[in-house]
Amino acid sequence: MTEAELHTLYKGVYMPSYLHTPQSLKYYEEFTFRPDDIIIVTYPKSGTTWMQEIVPLIVSGGDPASVETLHNWDRAPWLEQTRACILNLEERPSPRLLTTHFQYNMMPPSFFEVKPKVIYVMRNPKDVFTSSFYYHGMASFLENPGPQGEFLHKFLDGKVMFGSWFDHVKSWLNTEDKERIMHISYEEMIMDLKDSVARIAQFLQKSLDTEVIEKIADRCLFKNMKQNNMSNYSAVPLEFMDQTKSEFLRKGVAGDWKKQPTVTEAEYFDAVYKDKMKDVDYKFVWD
């Protein structure tokens, strides 16, 4: 398939055609939210799978069955993907766990009417870029990333799946709905996962004792989560994701980007970041 055939352009944003059809996007636009829905929102490669492990365990009070009986794409499905259409989400008991990669201004009308809770996960864009580069190299439904320098420019220009990282992050940071949106970073979770689990539980108004929080945090350590076949994408056929090229759950670290770019590329990234984020009043862990 050509690069153009691999992409669907939706509201000015590229996304993989294989996973996003006119039918699935219509389903997304017409989706009816509930006030007690919990929505995980991320820019791709920012910790989605990690949060799809943490939140079900918190909601279930630490019950491991919540992450051992359903693949992550079914336990907290992406609303914009084709699979969401066949999961009978309307029949699921509350609280439903849902996921999206869309920007704030691309959310369906029902989202703004009902105002469900959102957990928005951010990650250093340099690590997002690095993870995306490897992901494009192993996923057949994405275009080949080509040379790293070339992909870097596409990433910084927002000509990649789900558009600009800068636009995405700013759209979710600049909302007025501060009380129902929790912002947390990948880096915070790495630095203190137990504290992060406790904060998420508090945001979700789920009372958990210290022992349960510790068990959830331990289970969600990258090395442990990587062993969960319901979360590590080992069930995805090789023709769609060739994990012999790069594992889906690759390293789970902060700062891996430092091994990748040339000095010139790193300086260019810094210059673009400084310009794009100059009007953002938020203290990022990586700044």
Side-chain angles (χ1 to χ4, degrees):
M1 295 178 73
T2 65
E3 186 169 325
E5 291 172 325
L6 289 169
H7 282 152
T8 290
L9 191 63
Y10 176 71
K11 296 187 176 181
V13 171
Y14 291 115
M15 57 192 62
S17 302
Y18 173 73
L19 298 174
H20 307 88
T21 63
Q23 178 191 11
S24 72
L25 293 171
K26 183 174 185 291
Y27 176 84
Y28 170 81
E29 290 173 349
E30 298 175 352
F31 189 79
T32 301
F33 288 94
R34 300 174 192 161
D36 56 1
D37 284 338
I38 300 167
I39 309 171
I40 297 164
V41 184
T42 61
Y43 185 84
K45 315 312 294 180
S46 297
T48 321
T49 306
W50 204 358
M51 198 57 72
Q52 288 172 323
E53 196 89 354
I54 294 170
V55 174
L57 286 165
I58 289 174
V59 171
S60 68
D63 183 359
S66 63
V67 296
E68 290 176 348
T69 56
L70 277 177
H71 287 290
N72 63 325
W73 55 76
D74 282 348
R75 74 174 89 113
W78 281 269
L79 286 172
E80 62 269 19
Q81 288 189 5
T82 53
R83 189 155 179 80
C85 304
I86 63 171
L87 291 177
N88 298 316
L89 297 178
E90 296 75 16
E91 299 174 12
R92 286 196 176 183
S94 294
R96 296 179 300 184
L97 309 183
L98 309 166
T99 303
T100 184
H101 281 321
F102 277 141
Q103 297 176 25
Y104 179 78
N105 59 331
M106 296 173 70
M107 296 299 287
S110 173
F111 173 83
F112 300 101
E113 296 162 8
V114 174
K115 300 184 183 299
K117 287 197 169 183
V118 169
I119 300 172
Y120 185 71
V121 190
M122 301 169 284
R123 187 182 187 186
N124 186 330
K126 293 178 181 177
D127 279 329
V128 172
F129 158 74
T130 301
S131 184
S132 295
F133 180 71
Y134 282 101
Y135 185 45
H136 275 71
M138 57 85 87
S140 64
F141 52 86
L142 298 174
E143 74 277 12
N144 188 291
Q148 180 179 273
E150 182 180 308
F151 187 69
L152 176 69
H153 281 269
K154 289 176 70 173
F155 178 83
L156 292 174
D157 290 341
K159 295 178 179 178
V160 290
M161 61 175 177
F162 292 94
S164 164
W165 178 90
F166 304 101
D167 291 346
H168 201 288
V169 169
K170 288 193 283 189
S171 79
W172 284 99
L173 284 178
N174 294 337
T175 67
E176 297 299 322
D177 306 314
K178 304 298 184 185
E179 292 184 4
R180 69 177 177 120
I181 300 176
M182 176 183 184
H183 297 96
I184 190 168
S185 73
Y186 190 95
E187 289 76 16
E188 289 172 83
M189 292 159 64
I190 285 179
M191 287 189 289
D192 194 336
L193 186 54
K194 180 182 170 183
D195 177 68
S196 297
V197 169
R199 287 166 52 206
I200 296 166
Q202 184 179 23
F203 172 71
L204 297 177
Q205 298 179 310
K206 187 72 177 178
S207 181
L208 301 176
D209 61 37
T210 303
E211 184 181 356
V212 172
I213 289 172
E214 288 176 348
K215 285 183 177 179
I216 292 173
D218 182 71
R219 185 180 181 94
C220 293
L221 289 172
F222 186 80
K223 63 179 182 179
N224 294 333
M225 196 179 80
K226 199 169 181 177
Q227 302 304 312
N228 184 357
N229 289 333
M230 292 290 153
S231 303
N232 61 16
Y233 283 75
S234 58
V236 177
L238 195 67
E239 60 263 31
F240 297 115
M241 281 189 190
D242 187 351
Q243 296 204 50
T244 64
K245 294 180 179 178
S246 176
E247 293 177 293
F248 182 84
L249 295 179
R250 203 170 59 88
K251 290 187 177 181
V253 299
D256 189 48
W257 67 268
K258 295 175 183 176
K259 303 173 186 175
Q260 306 300 325
T262 64
V263 173
T264 302
E265 289 169 350
E267 289 176 348
Y268 178 67
F269 202 124
D270 287 341
V272 173
Y273 180 90
K274 184 177 180 180
D275 177 62
K276 296 278 191 181
M277 302 301 283
K278 62 179 180 291
D279 58 344
V280 176
D281 183 22
Y282 189 90
K283 181 61 180 173
F284 296 102
V285 175
W286 55 82
D287 281 345

